[in-house]
Amino acid sequence: MIEGYQNIKDYLKSNFEGFKNVVINELIAYYGEKYKDEIVSRINDTNFIFYINPKKRRIKRSHSDRRKENFDEIKENYRKTRLEAKKNGELFNLYNKKSAAARFVCPYNETDFTSMYNNGEKEIEKTIFIPLYFVNDEGIIHEMIHAVMSSPLGLIESPDYKILKYKIGLITSGDKGEDLLEECMTQIEALIIYEIIKSKGISFIDEFYPNKSFECKYDLFIPSVAKFYKDFKEDLVDARITLNLRRFINKIGKENYCKLIQLLREFEENYFDCDRGIFRELISKVINQMGDNKKLVLK
């Protein structure tokens, strides 16, 4: 276990680029060589900011069966690192290549990918915020996939404000169901890439994470959409990387797609108060109808 604030900063600086390049290569292998340029350019154009969360004084205690054997050691390591970071006035920003984005956004609570327009630099900044000790390699990979699936559409300007419009994968409308679907697709891929990397003995910040596995709420919904991903994987990858959703929707049927989004939104909103089996059955039925529609289109 690495100890000491400066040691951790040095570790991040020395090992991040190697980890990032490994993930890039695995994403190219998974999605296909034809998407290499988009994958490389979109990730290399993203800023990664590692930080110590100033609002979290301690690592919360999870169920004992989920904790790593050295949970207490990691917890104490976090406490010391946080105090050292606070003393050095660097609670927020441990390591990043360009720090302009840090002046605008501090998520505080979780790993996050965001795009913003930097008025000072007159440029679009794509940034992944990574709260050390609260996320593992899987979480970083998840956000890197968002970066691959993201592209700015334009800047809306008025005398009072500027709004950057950008697209991430399937997300076009801001509907919660559509957001959930894209997150599930991303998490499925993150889990696959993470397991491949682990099988090769590659690790980056896993040792700082106190639990045996990463906590991700989207895992709850993956069983409901796994067939959707499996049946339309090639089309989904192409639609999300090229940001051309229309071609994919024409294959599966717009009505079917809208119905799936509606069901996912209602499922998420009522997850703890509903018969989940009914939702899963309805979602499965819609996915089958998508398959039937695709067969008709391809005839």
Side-chain angles (χ1 to χ4, degrees):
M1 186 75 201
I2 299 169
E3 291 189 6
Y5 174 64
Q6 189 58 49
N7 289 338
I8 289 173
K9 287 186 69 176
D10 291 342
Y11 172 81
L12 295 174
K13 290 177 182 179
S14 299
N15 293 278
F16 174 64
E17 288 299 317
F19 172 77
K20 184 183 78 172
N21 290 331
V22 166
V23 176
I24 287 174
N25 289 334
E26 293 300 340
L27 290 175
I28 293 170
Y30 184 77
Y31 293 131
E33 191 72 23
K34 65 179 179 179
Y35 302 114
K36 179 178 178 178
D37 290 345
E38 288 89 346
I39 294 168
V40 173
S41 63
R42 290 176 186 176
I43 290 182
N44 283 336
D45 194 38
T46 300
N47 186 30
F48 294 78
I49 293 180
F50 294 84
Y51 69 98
I52 295 294
N53 190 328
K55 288 192 172 182
K56 289 186 180 290
R57 295 188 175 184
R58 60 181 65 87
I59 293 172
K60 69 177 182 178
R61 300 194 70 84
S62 58
H63 295 297
S64 58
D65 61 336
R66 294 198 68 253
R67 300 175 204 153
K68 287 182 180 174
E69 292 181 359
N70 63 334
F71 178 91
D72 290 335
E73 180 186 357
I74 295 173
K75 181 181 175 183
E76 179 62 13
N77 194 302
Y78 173 73
R79 187 188 71 81
K80 290 179 179 178
T81 303
R82 184 182 178 279
L83 289 175
E84 288 183 55
K86 186 176 182 181
K87 183 179 178 181
N88 284 277
E90 293 184 308
L91 262 178
F92 180 78
N93 204 350
L94 270 83
Y95 167 63
N96 65 288
K97 281 189 151 184
K98 50 181 182 176
S99 59
R103 297 196 298 269
F104 298 95
V105 175
C106 179
Y108 285 144
N109 296 318
E110 56 187 22
T111 317
D112 182 58
F113 167 78
T114 186
S115 291
M116 66 200 80
Y117 184 75
N118 183 336
N119 284 319
E121 300 293 330
K122 304 299 181 184
E123 66 179 8
I124 294 168
E125 290 190 348
K126 294 164 61 176
T127 305
I128 294 174
F129 294 92
I130 304 158
L132 202 61
Y133 293 89
F134 290 89
V135 66
N136 69 347
D137 294 347
E138 177 195 319
I140 299 178
I141 294 168
H142 180 106
E143 302 305 328
M144 288 176 73
I145 292 172
H146 278 320
V148 169
M149 305 299 172
S150 171
S151 182
L153 298 176
L155 187 68
I156 299 175
E157 297 187 63
S158 79
D160 301 318
Y161 61 82
K162 292 181 180 179
I163 298 177
L164 174 66
K165 301 294 288 184
Y166 63 96
K167 186 177 179 182
I168 300 180
L170 297 175
I171 300 173
T172 57
S173 64
D175 187 290
K176 289 183 178 180
E178 197 168 48
D179 291 352
L180 178 59
L181 182 59
E182 175 61 25
E183 290 290 0
C184 286
M185 302 299 98
T186 300
Q187 182 60 8
I188 287 172
E189 293 165 348
L191 287 166
I192 292 170
I193 301 301
Y194 177 61
E195 290 302 322
I196 291 173
I197 288 175
K198 274 209 314 181
S199 71
K200 295 181 177 181
I202 297 167
S203 178
F204 177 49
I205 62 167
D206 276 2
E207 71 170 289
F208 297 110
Y209 192 63
N211 298 327
K212 295 175 183 177
S213 59
F214 185 54
E215 292 182 333
C216 180
K217 73 172 185 177
Y218 306 120
D219 291 338
L220 298 173
F221 301 94
I222 284 177
S224 301
V225 296
K227 186 177 188 301
F228 174 75
Y229 185 81
K230 180 182 177 182
D231 289 356
F232 307 109
K233 176 189 168 184
E234 187 175 332
D235 292 317
L236 279 167
V237 168
D238 185 73
R240 290 160 64 227
I241 293 182
T242 63
L243 304 174
N244 187 343
L245 184 58
R246 181 178 299 177
R247 186 167 56 223
F248 174 59
I249 289 180
N250 286 339
K251 286 184 180 181
I252 64 175
K254 183 176 180 179
E255 185 176 337
N256 292 330
Y257 181 74
C258 291
K259 184 63 177 177
L260 176 62
I261 296 305
Q262 177 191 343
L263 286 169
L264 286 172
R265 180 179 66 249
E266 293 174 354
F267 192 16
E268 183 180 28
E269 291 173 347
N270 300 283
Y271 186 80
F272 295 102
D273 302 302
C274 69
D275 184 336
R276 297 167 197 169
I278 291 178
F279 271 100
R280 288 171 182 146
E281 184 178 339
L282 291 171
I283 289 171
S284 179
K285 182 178 178 181
V286 172
I287 293 170
N288 288 334
Q289 290 171 346
M290 289 176 173
D292 293 339
N293 194 90
K294 183 179 178 179
K295 289 176 183 177
L296 290 173
V297 171
L298 295 177
K299 278 186 176 181

